[in-house]
Amino acid sequence: MTSKIGQVLKAVVVNDRMQREYRYHLVAPVGRGFDPEFRPELTPREMLELGVFCGKYITDSRGEFPKSWFKRAKLSPSGRDCSLNYFGVAASQPLSEWRRKGWIHPDDPRGWFQWYCRYYMGRRMPEEDRRQIRRWKSFRRHVAQVRLNCEPGDRFCRPRQRQALLQWAYDSRKI
């Protein structure tokens, strides 16, 4: 397949526990070509190295993403281990709750982080990208709450909120 400007697009085929024969194309350079309103402070690799989602995220879909993302990733092959999170606490709702609230797009059955990983790699889905970027921007309100309620430099004030921010690619260690 080629793009409108004639460049060959890389096709990705996903076969993991949640998707079979799901296909998408990478149309933007890895880590670039982002919407100007989307400025994440952490890459997916950095998030995985810091410790997010209790170590239980994309553990069965490593083949879809660069091996470098997993070299120092804090992952739990057996089950959730929230001690692996940077702040050592659970800070996310279960996937069932995300589904109930209608936050899950069929192309990304694992939710926001899966969308972000694929967006980072170069997949673009304009309508879904706008929706997810809107959600990411709205999560920034938690930065203001941490600043309002914590002393500067106290990295462990409001650990659940800081962990949640990390899971949305905001570097809450710097607040």
Side-chain angles (χ1 to χ4, degrees):
M1 181 174 191
T2 59
S3 69
K4 292 179 183 176
I5 57 173
Q7 73 188 77
V8 177
L9 305 178
K10 180 181 176 191
V12 177
V13 179
V14 178
N15 284 297
D16 61 29
R17 288 187 199 138
M18 296 186 79
Q19 290 180 303
R20 292 278 175 226
E21 294 300 315
Y22 171 69
R23 297 173 184 273
Y24 64 92
H25 290 90
L26 304 178
V27 299
V30 175
R32 300 195 344 244
F34 286 14
D35 182 296
E37 291 189 23
F38 185 53
R39 296 175 307 282
E41 297 170 358
L42 298 165
T43 66
R45 177 180 146 187
E46 291 169 328
M47 293 169 67
L48 290 167
E49 287 176 359
L50 286 170
V52 290
F53 307 107
C54 298
K56 198 65 187 151
Y57 207 99
I58 64 175
T59 54
D60 67 319
S61 54
R62 294 183 193 196
E64 182 180 349
F65 303 108
K67 288 180 183 179
S68 64
W69 287 15
F70 301 98
K71 282 184 182 174
R72 295 195 334 237
K74 294 182 178 170
L75 298 176
S76 175
S78 56
R80 289 172 42 96
D81 179 355
C82 295
S83 71
L84 294 172
N85 280 350
Y86 183 82
F87 291 97
V89 296
S92 53
Q93 297 177 343
L95 188 58
S96 60
E97 185 65 11
W98 282 56
R99 287 181 183 129
R100 189 185 70 73
K101 291 183 176 181
W103 293 341
I104 301 294
H105 187 279
D107 287 0
D108 298 319
R110 298 171 196 261
W112 184 86
F113 186 61
Q114 185 175 46
W115 168 85
Y116 176 40
C117 291
R118 290 171 173 174
Y119 186 89
Y120 187 90
M121 292 304 299
R123 183 191 70 179
R124 297 295 182 267
M125 299 176 11
E127 188 176 318
E128 179 61 5
D129 296 347
R130 279 189 297 279
R131 183 182 79 90
Q132 293 290 11
I133 291 168
R134 217 173 21 253
R135 293 181 68 227
W136 173 81
K137 286 171 62 177
S138 75
F139 208 83
R140 185 160 179 79
R141 70 189 181 279
H142 293 281
V143 171
Q145 292 173 1
V146 170
R147 284 191 176 128
L148 180 67
N149 292 288
C150 298
E151 293 292 322
D154 183 357
R155 291 173 51 174
F156 291 95
C157 173
R158 293 193 165 222
R160 282 180 47 103
Q161 206 160 27
R162 287 177 183 268
Q163 183 67 42
L165 283 162
L166 281 181
Q167 294 172 176
W168 281 82
Y170 289 103
D171 194 348
S172 60
R173 300 170 302 167
K174 297 178 179 178
I175 302 172

